[in-house]
Amino acid sequence: MRTRALFGGCRWLVGLLVLSTLTGRAAADFSVAVAESGDMLDVRVIESTESRSDGPLVLWVVNQYGETPGPESVAHELARQGATVWMVDVMESLFLPRSDVSVRNVGGAPVGSLIARAVEEERPTVVVGADRMAIPLLRGMRWWQQRTHDTSPLAGAVLIFPSLYRGAPVAGEEPELFSIVDATNLPVMLLQPEQGVYRHRLLDLREHFLQAGSDVYVRVVPGVRDYYHMHLDDAQTESLDRLEQVMDDPDEARAVRDLPGDILRSIPLLAAAHHPDEVRPLDPERTTPIDRQTGLQPVEPQQAPGFELTDLEGNTQRLEDDFDGVQIVNFWATWCPACVEEIPSMERLASRYPDKVKIYAIAFKQSPEHLREFMQDFDVSFPVPVDPDGEVAARYDAFAFPTSFLVAADGRIHYSVNAGIIWDTEEVDAIVRELLEIEPE
């Protein structure tokens, strides 16, 4: 039961790691030379008898975790609908570690060289990427834009739940976008899951693209969270008709079935948009990742936002204005292994200070029914309020998961952390005792 609780939401990642160990590098149909480096990108071509020589060319820059059954299934459906798909694993081709920092440091030459080779095919072309891979993808478009006199051969980019931030700041501080967002003026389609972590930041991201001069389009994918198209255990290469039988979530099955159409419908829309030839400048101060802040961090004391949420017992939970102790506002989700792993130590901390520490484990965009079943594996004394639309998390500017805020008796946040930690250590205990000395206002 414990294993299921920790890793049940990440079966696709565990399976991928096993698959990578067994198979090694994927076979390539051809390779593309990366300009300026001498590296080679391995390209795997997916096409079918329905693929047309004048049909669209989809450049799928696979996620940092490598090729997974979900994108593989979508690529085959794209081929059945007339497209040709070039799947490229940049991290594998360049022998880079599959880490967040590595992805954020990939420059524009790899994807840019791929685009330069693709537009020679003289067919409608779009580049597709998800999550953090959107960063080297946008850099690649700009790199290619600098080296061509006609940007119209590339329709644009389709970004699936893009993560375009330099990294997680100190919890509660506003995250910073990479400058490539403000330097992108070619057309972009954003496919944003309704239950995704960055849903509440979507309008701000769109505004940055618009200010840069990009014709940006948005589709909110209803009922699903990030990585929805990667939650398949086995590739469905012959048909997507069985998705309801092989996926746990019917909303995700529907969204995966719709994804090929979402991509194909984006191509003429992007192709008809404005394609500037001039390249926008980059802000050199925002081109590199920031170091992740781990452990409890002191912050400038600020008033903690109030909230009123219903917990799994049907009780209303709110931040207490007159609590003579420390209140911990924790944002978590069952799909986040680090969130789940810290629950036992949070309970040990709560039991150490039964009258002086109150914990609110606020579940981010999850159903009470799912949470009640999930929490059967844990014996906790603190309430689990539900933040169904993420509104309270947005109010606290929670960026990463888990994120926690320590509120003293004066009603102000004094410490925060945007990662999972062990809560019953001497270091945390010293901070709790420090905050217990603060008098109410």
Side-chain angles (χ1 to χ4, degrees):
M1 296 294 286
R2 177 65 171 160
T3 301
R4 182 186 68 80
L6 281 175
F7 300 109
C10 294
R11 291 197 309 272
W12 62 270
L13 181 54
V14 175
L16 169 64
L17 295 175
V18 173
L19 180 64
S20 299
T21 301
L22 293 175
T23 62
R25 291 171 66 86
D29 291 289
F30 68 95
S31 296
V32 172
V34 178
E36 305 171 356
S37 72
D39 293 315
M40 302 295 290
L41 291 180
D42 293 334
V43 179
R44 188 163 66 89
V45 179
I46 296 178
E47 53 188 357
S48 71
T49 55
E50 289 80 12
S51 297
R52 304 190 313 272
S53 59
D54 61 344
L57 177 57
V58 177
L59 311 180
W60 195 302
V61 185
V62 303
N63 195 270
Q64 72 186 68
Y65 304 116
E67 293 187 20
T68 58
E72 175 89 0
S73 303
V74 174
H76 279 271
E77 180 60 31
L78 285 166
R80 285 191 293 274
Q81 295 189 31
T84 297
V85 182
W86 290 2
M87 297 200 80
V88 179
D89 187 340
V90 171
M91 309 307 286
E92 181 179 83
S93 291
L94 302 184
F95 297 97
L96 295 173
R98 296 190 184 279
S99 69
D100 299 352
V101 174
S102 292
V103 173
R104 292 181 173 123
N105 277 322
V106 174
V111 176
S113 299
L114 178 68
I115 294 171
R117 170 64 183 83
V119 297
E120 295 176 1
E121 300 290 308
E122 298 185 349
R123 54 199 293 190
T125 302
V126 68
V127 60
V128 176
D131 194 24
R132 298 175 186 89
M133 197 54 67
I135 300 163
L137 188 154
L138 292 181
R139 288 171 178 161
M141 287 208 308
R142 183 179 181 275
W143 183 95
W144 171 76
Q145 185 184 27
Q146 286 179 300
R147 291 159 176 79
T148 186
H149 299 295
D150 180 11
T151 58
S152 62
L154 177 70
V158 176
L159 306 182
I160 309 169
F161 57 90
S163 175
L164 294 163
Y165 298 94
R166 296 179 63 200
V170 173
E173 294 184 1
E174 192 66 22
E176 193 171 44
L177 289 163
F178 275 102
S179 63
I180 187 59
V181 176
D182 299 307
T184 296
N185 56 10
L186 292 177
V188 174
M189 167 65 78
L190 305 177
L191 298 182
Q192 173 61 53
E194 182 183 31
Q195 301 298 321
V197 171
Y198 302 135
R199 170 65 181 87
H200 69 285
R201 302 184 185 278
L202 178 59
L203 291 180
D204 178 68
L205 177 61
R206 175 178 175 271
E207 185 62 27
H208 276 267
F209 278 119
L210 289 173
Q211 290 297 320
S214 171
D215 283 351
V216 59
Y217 306 91
V218 175
R219 167 165 158 71
V220 175
V221 185
V224 297
R225 56 184 174 88
D226 299 334
Y227 294 98
Y228 68 93
H229 72 306
M230 298 174 71
H231 294 166
L232 261 172
D233 292 332
D234 300 298
Q236 305 295 303
T237 58
E238 299 300 322
S239 168
L240 298 185
D241 292 342
R242 295 185 61 252
L243 289 179
E244 277 81 5
Q245 286 75 49
V246 298
M247 297 188 76
D248 295 334
D249 187 330
D251 286 330
E252 288 190 343
R254 172 196 44 75
V256 172
R257 186 184 298 105
D258 290 346
L259 183 53
D262 290 339
I263 293 172
L264 292 175
R265 283 188 295 272
S266 298
I267 297 174
L269 189 66
L270 296 171
H274 180 50
H275 284 68
D277 294 330
E278 68 276 8
V279 178
R280 287 185 56 83
L282 287 167
D283 177 357
E285 300 297 320
R286 295 189 290 119
T287 59
T288 57
I290 62 173
D291 293 332
R292 185 181 180 93
Q293 303 294 319
T294 58
L296 285 170
Q297 299 287 322
V299 298
E300 185 67 28
Q302 55 187 295
Q303 192 66 32
F307 58 83
E308 188 169 299
L309 297 171
T310 302
D311 67 19
L312 298 183
E313 307 301 322
N315 301 315
T316 299
Q317 298 292 334
R318 57 176 63 87
L319 201 66
E320 296 187 19
D321 295 331
D322 55 355
F323 184 69
D324 185 20
V326 177
Q327 298 180 87
I328 300 175
V329 182
N330 167 260
F331 294 97
W332 74 291
T334 60
W335 44 257
C336 163
C339 300
V340 178
E341 191 158 355
E342 70 176 0
I343 290 176
S345 65
M346 292 180 72
E347 175 60 26
R348 292 193 295 269
L349 175 67
S351 63
R352 185 179 296 175
Y353 297 94
D355 300 319
K356 289 296 184 179
V357 171
K358 186 167 186 178
I359 297 173
Y360 308 89
I362 300 177
F364 177 78
K365 293 186 178 181
Q366 299 198 282
S367 72
E369 295 76 19
H370 168 70
L371 286 164
R372 288 190 188 96
E373 179 182 358
F374 188 88
M375 292 305 295
Q376 290 177 5
D377 291 336
F378 300 92
D379 183 17
V380 297
S381 59
F382 49 79
V384 181
V386 181
D387 187 12
D389 56 6
E391 191 273 332
V392 176
R395 202 181 305 164
Y396 272 79
D397 276 330
F399 177 79
F401 289 87
T403 289
S404 300
F405 301 87
L406 273 61
V407 182
D410 62 356
R412 298 191 297 174
I413 299 168
H414 289 260
Y415 283 85
S416 67
V417 57
N418 60 12
I421 63 173
I422 304 301
W423 284 92
D424 58 342
T425 63
E426 292 182 5
E427 292 80 4
V428 174
D429 199 61
I431 290 172
V432 170
R433 292 198 305 271
E434 170 196 326
L435 295 182
L436 287 174
E437 297 297 319
I438 295 176
E439 297 291 333
E441 287 189 338

